[in-house]
Amino acid sequence: MKQHLLPIISNVQVSSRYWHMKIDTTEMNETIEPGQFFHIRCSEGIFPFLRRPFSIYRINKEDDTIEFLYLVKGEGTKDLTRKKPGDTADLLGPLGYGFQLQPECDDILLTARGVGIATLAALAQEAGRKGVRCTAILSARSRDDLLAAETLQDFGAEVHKVTEEEGTSGVDSVESLMRDIINRKNIKALYTCGSRRLSRLNQRLAEEYKLPGEIALEEQMGCAMGACFACVCDLEEDGKQRSVRVCLEGPVFPLEKVVIS
Amino acid sequence: MKQHLLPIISNVQVSSRYWHMKIDTTEMNETIEPGQFFHIRCSEGIFPFLRRPFSIYRINKEDDTIEFLYLVKGEGTKDLTRKKPGDTADLLGPLGYGFQLQPECDDILLTARGVGIATLAALAQEAGRKGVRCTAILSARSRDDLLAAETLQDFGAEVHKVTEEEGTSGVDSVESLMRDIINRKNIKALYTCGSRRLSRLNQRLAEEYKLPGEIALEEQMGCAMGACFACVCDLEEDGKQRSVRVCLEGPVFPLEKVVIS
Amino acid sequence: MIAQRNMEVSIGSLSLQNPVMPASGAFGPEMHEALDFNKIGAIIPKSITKHPQPGNDTPRVCETHGGMINSIGIQSKGLDVYLSKTIPEFSAYDVPLISSISAESIDEFCEMSDVLGSHPDIDALELNISCPNLKGDGLAFGMDAEVTRELLTRVRQVTDVPLIAKLTPNVTSIQEIAKAADAGGADALTVANTILAMAIDTETKKPMVGNVMGGLSGPAVKPIMVRMIYQTSQVTDLPIIGCGGIMNGTDAIEMILAGASAVQVGTASFITPTALTDVVQEIRDYMERHDVKNIYDLVGSVEC
Amino acid sequence: MIAQRNMEVSIGSLSLQNPVMPASGAFGPEMHEALDFNKIGAIIPKSITKHPQPGNDTPRVCETHGGMINSIGIQSKGLDVYLSKTIPEFSAYDVPLISSISAESIDEFCEMSDVLGSHPDIDALELNISCPNLKGDGLAFGMDAEVTRELLTRVRQVTDVPLIAKLTPNVTSIQEIAKAADAGGADALTVANTILAMAIDTETKKPMVGNVMGGLSGPAVKPIMVRMIYQTSQVTDLPIIGCGGIMNGTDAIEMILAGASAVQVGTASFITPTALTDVVQEIRDYMERHDVKNIYDLVGSVEC
Ligand SMILES: Cc1cc2nc3c(=O)[nH]c(=O)nc-3n(C[C@H](O)[C@H](O)[C@H](O)COP(=O)(O)OP(=O)(O)OC[C@H]3O[C@@H](n4cnc5c(N)ncnc54)[C@H](O)[C@@H]3O)c2cc1C
Ligand SMILES: Cc1cc2nc3c(=O)[nH]c(=O)nc-3n(C[C@H](O)[C@H](O)[C@H](O)COP(=O)(O)OP(=O)(O)OC[C@H]3O[C@@H](n4cnc5c(N)ncnc54)[C@H](O)[C@@H]3O)c2cc1C
Ligand SMILES: Cc1cc2nc3c(=O)[nH]c(=O)nc-3n(C[C@H](O)[C@H](O)[C@H](O)COP(=O)(O)O)c2cc1C
Ligand SMILES: Cc1cc2nc3c(=O)[nH]c(=O)nc-3n(C[C@H](O)[C@H](O)[C@H](O)COP(=O)(O)O)c2cc1C
Ligand code: FES
Ligand code: FES
């Protein structure tokens, strides 16, 4: 957890709502794992005031770069789009704990929704690198939001797209799709991010199929350094609930333990 | 007094501390007079919060442009330097009452200090246009700050430069210079802007030589529309003081009436 | 076909075509060049005092993060000039005229309310019991519930026009002051005036405003005002006029959701002279977008 | 040769190497990765309660213009975990450790102060008598002068360590509360905690923080805090710890000129994790530039 001022290589719009930013990490000597995130200062002024958390979308060890995929939502992300190549990105991180790929889990299923796709892309990349077979269900409002699908395919993942636009993203349809994939592919672990409803579905199927799994959570953050207790959620272990900080103890947690409110 | 969104033609640094901005006023149908000012929004965000007042430096009726000369002082002017050709300038104005050039005053003396030079440049331009002979004493910290001297010379003014750097800007030296010019040139009116000490000197000499005169005042402003009473100063008339708003009733006032605190 | 959007609101017996009015002291007759006065809910000139008074030393304003401090004081030409000049200037417009009164004693409040309340062109009175710039280290009538109650009771006896008490936020419990103003007979509450503040120039070591302290306004204070509007709306049924930090229609809606039935816009006009009518239009847009027929469907409708 | 710049300040009998410390709740042990704890004036962990308590519903923070609202509540693992885990974690550093205490009654404040005050690793206590997130509509001990005096008097009886009363800004007269804390036996005052505030999402009509209201911090509140520091310094000789909105050394100097002898930095650390040590350095730079030998030459030296 350190503040890094790093050069921006590119920052471009990739679809109607999404942008993509690439950063030169030559000067940053840190190990970065899929599922970890950076707390980014989107503007120099005092508005927007706080940093914004963004998962790592791609980790390119070969050429010492990392990439972010972000949805333009409000003032912070709008300001981020103003950054130009050569400008400095102010990153705090890498933060939190990322995903675990267990050696015995050689076939995994990712279910991602919205900006959660960015988070799971890094995992698909890692899976590809480790020779783990990876299937991904990507859910979004519209086809246009699913630009990351290609990236995942490049990593070797089998991608299924579901959208509101096409009426294919309902929990019921996703459930049958997941069941079909789990059975057909002999899936060994589930990973999810980006939707409460899909998270509950993943929890249910994980229990039913006795699969391990992980979930990356998103919570409103203040410090992202474990200091402010803004980003808490509850875990249930041995029948007892305890509060954890998403920024410090997460954002990735065991799927079965998270209490989804 | 209207808000105008006008295209910026150029905005460039002209010396170590000064910038120059040129605006296309084709879309603004207003008569602008030397001494008037615009209240300019320097940034889009809420910081800096208030507009900043800037006198008109040059009024180019021929090609429908106006120019500002500004000193980079704090956050507002720093933000103003970020504007690029093609960007929009958000101007409120023209505001206030400008200088009066009386037909019988065919030889005038301007004494300007610092950013006051920008204010009096427009008057020199008007004088040149009207065939009024104009002499100007320009005072500044350093020679580098006196870039406007050339502009005034282009307008036909005889320019005397005094600076701290050269030790020539003390009130005493300026006083002998003024006396010399007043006598030699048969000066008919005095105009001043930008310095309390020079204003007092002008008041004193105006009284002694029985010359009419005008002064352009600078006061911290809120609204610049006469609404908030932030920008007041006192005038003394017939032995009685009354408070006036610089933005509405000024910024130009009769030299002899202003109470300089 | 576009559905009717009813933006009319009532302040006591007074009906406004829409809920947007200027904040006293941040509005002047000269602004008519930039703004169509006939399109706002009401006009409120700067607070008037009985006798002429000069206001405070300059500098009178300074900027802060997301706001400004003013220490104008109540610079005023006195009641006579107000009656002979200010009122005619404003009564030419087709919207209600609300006079803001500042006074040094309860008696003086009564005296002025009597005069102004019986003037045919004045539709309501706003009692500025909160100006933090008065002599006495920022103390104001509105800092004491008992004084507030008595002040309202006494003024209520001399006039029948709607009385709006403009509360100060510089109190431990705005609820207590609100209840006192209600008990005294106020018809509405403006929540709230500026927050007492101070800034120092670290280079000169001098206070940034001549009067050492002044009132903080602008977006920086909005979350405090929204809280106070919400708290006040919990303890009184009086209409609340939200004030402090409104820059756009969304800010106005936020205050309305918190419990305000009208709003005042001050400092925003310094940045955008058409802020008042912009806010009217943006409230209307919001009502369209959310299909709200009547502005009162929004008042206090925050879902806690 | 560079002249000595003496930045040492005293909080009662406690001496700090420099006047910069974290604000409670905006600082955690994990920050040591980004920040050299040995370079700051003191360490203050988040307020501790006697019993474990869960804190408030999420979302717990939201942004405002120039600031943020937090409704964390005092999420706490209770005194036992604090003694066994938190204190050892921090006492490894070479700077004084100040414990911030939050309690539900005067008795509980006494009980906790007794335990913590007699702990060898704890150098001073900050009594958080101002947390606006407590049950009861934002009420706090520090809103009542009499309660404040009694609370300080009682705690004073159980411990000899320096006692810092952290005042709430949500009061009519911070001077009255400051005098009461002084009379009760406080050694210093922190001026001040967050300002009670509220924000509403106009699209969902829901409050932006789970607890409806929360505390406003950040640069937006700085002018209010500077005013309160100035006012407090007029009525008491106790050292004042300025807090609220400091983003850099200039802000710290502003509070020091207003009357503070030390400062706390909270939210700024969320934006720049090295904010605390940056502020130390920037104060030193200011002292160089203005040739100030001793920080005390600046304390309260605003020229009004
Ligand atoms: C661990 C984590 C990883 C994330 N990864 C990505 C990613 O890879 N790509 C992506 O597009 N988005 C990601 N997000 C979401 C992203 O942080 C928000 O979309 C962003 O903060 C919105 O900021 P804004 O200023 O544009 O919008 P605003 O208008 O300011 O806020 C819009 C909404 O964004 C959320 N938000 C604002 N500030 C914060 C904050 N400090 N912390 C959390 N949420 C906030 C709030 O719910 C708010 O209502 C991630 C969030 C978390 C917690
Ligand atoms: C009628 C008038 C005409 C002016 N003409 C020119 C001009 O032609 N060229 C030029 O360079 N400067 C001019 N000035 C001065 C110019 O307005 C200030 O230098 C500018 O506002 C500084 O803003 P800043 O944000 O850069 O500095 P800041 O750091 O914000 O302020 C620096 C100082 O500038 C002054 N200032 C800040 N805001 C205002 C304000 N709203 N009104 C008045 N003063 C303020 C204050 O004294 C402040 O201490 C004029 C001022 C007035 C009143
Ligand atoms: C320059 C200025 C002068 C003011 N004068 C008065 C006044 O005379 N009477 C009054 O009741 N309020 C006065 N106020 C307070 C405003 O009416 C309003 O309460 C405050 O500015 C908050 O609203 P805003 O944030 O929209 O500006 C003044 C405010 C400013 C900025
Ligand atoms: C997330 C957060 C949590 C806080 N928790 C506490 C707390 O537990 N005890 C306390 O006395 N103050 C708490 N505060 C208030 C701060 O200590 C400080 O008074 C306030 O944030 C103003 O300072 P700043 O503007 O520098 O942040 C908290 C503030 C924040 C932002
Ligand atoms: S964001 Fe501060 S603890 Fe997680
Ligand atoms: S700046 Fe508002 S009256 Fe002049």
Side-chain angles (χ1 to χ4, degrees), chain C residues 23-25 46-47 70 72 74 128 166 192-194 217-218 243-245 266-267:
Chain C
S24 175
K46 181 161 179 71
S47 297
N70 90 77
I72 309 289
I74 310 290
N128 178 2
K166 185 165 181 181
N193 213 316
T194 50
S217 63
C243 177
T267 319

Side-chain angles (χ1 to χ4, degrees), chain C residues 237-251:
Chain C
D237 291 328
L238 292 183
I240 294 166
I241 305 172
C243 177
I246 292 180
M247 298 300 284
N248 54 46
T250 308
D251 295 337

Side-chain angles (χ1 to χ4, degrees), chain A residues 223-241:
Chain A
C223 66
M225 299 183 291
C228 77
F229 290 83
C231 63
V232 295
C233 78
D234 288 327
L235 294 196
E236 190 169 310
E237 285 167 320
D238 315 321
K240 278 207 304 206
Q241 290 201 358

Side-chain angles (χ1 to χ4, degrees), chain B residues 235-242 256-257 259:
Chain B
L235 294 195
E236 189 168 310
E237 284 168 321
D238 314 322
K240 278 206 304 205
Q241 290 202 359
R242 72 182 175 93
E256 76 280 8
K257 290 190 182 168
V259 181

Side-chain angles (χ1 to χ4, degrees), chain A residues 124-145:
Chain A
Q125 185 183 24
E126 175 85 352
R129 206 173 268 143
K130 292 197 170 163
V132 171
R133 280 179 304 276
C134 178
T135 310
I137 302 174
L138 307 184
S139 169
R141 232 197 255 176
S142 71
R143 282 249 150 192
D144 183 57
D145 286 346

Side-chain angles (χ1 to χ4, degrees), chain A residues 1-3 39 41 46-52 90 92 219-223 225-233 243-245 248, chain D residues 25-28 30-31 33-34 46 58-68 72 75 218-219 247 267 269-274:
Chain A
M1 170 213 307
K2 271 219 177 67
Q3 188 183 0
H39 213 29
R41 188 155 183 204
I46 61 146
F47 185 76
F49 186 60
L50 296 171
R51 289 170 179 267
R52 303 285 191 258
D90 181 344
L92 179 66
E219 265 298 339
Q220 203 89 348
M221 290 189 181
C223 66
M225 299 183 291
C228 77
F229 290 83
C231 63
V232 295
C233 78
S243 172
V244 290
R245 285 159 288 177
L248 191 75
Chain D
F27 182 77
E30 295 80 11
M31 285 166 62
E33 290 177 34
K46 181 161 179 68
T58 56
R60 290 177 167 189
V61 294
C62 83
E63 265 190 5
T64 67
H65 275 292
M68 64 177 277
I72 309 290
Q75 171 161 351
M247 297 301 284
T267 321
S269 295
F270 299 176
I271 289 124
T272 314
T274 53

Side-chain angles (χ1 to χ4, degrees), chain D residues 101 106-111 113-114 125 127 149-160 163 184:
Chain D
I101 299 178
I106 294 185
D107 284 342
E108 203 176 272
F109 264 113
C110 290
E111 198 183 327
S113 300
D114 188 9
L125 301 178
L127 306 176
R149 198 195 50 73
E150 192 190 332
L151 195 152
L152 265 298
T153 309
R154 295 268 316 277
V155 173
R156 183 74 292 168
Q157 283 158 9
V158 304
T159 182
D160 290 329
L163 289 179

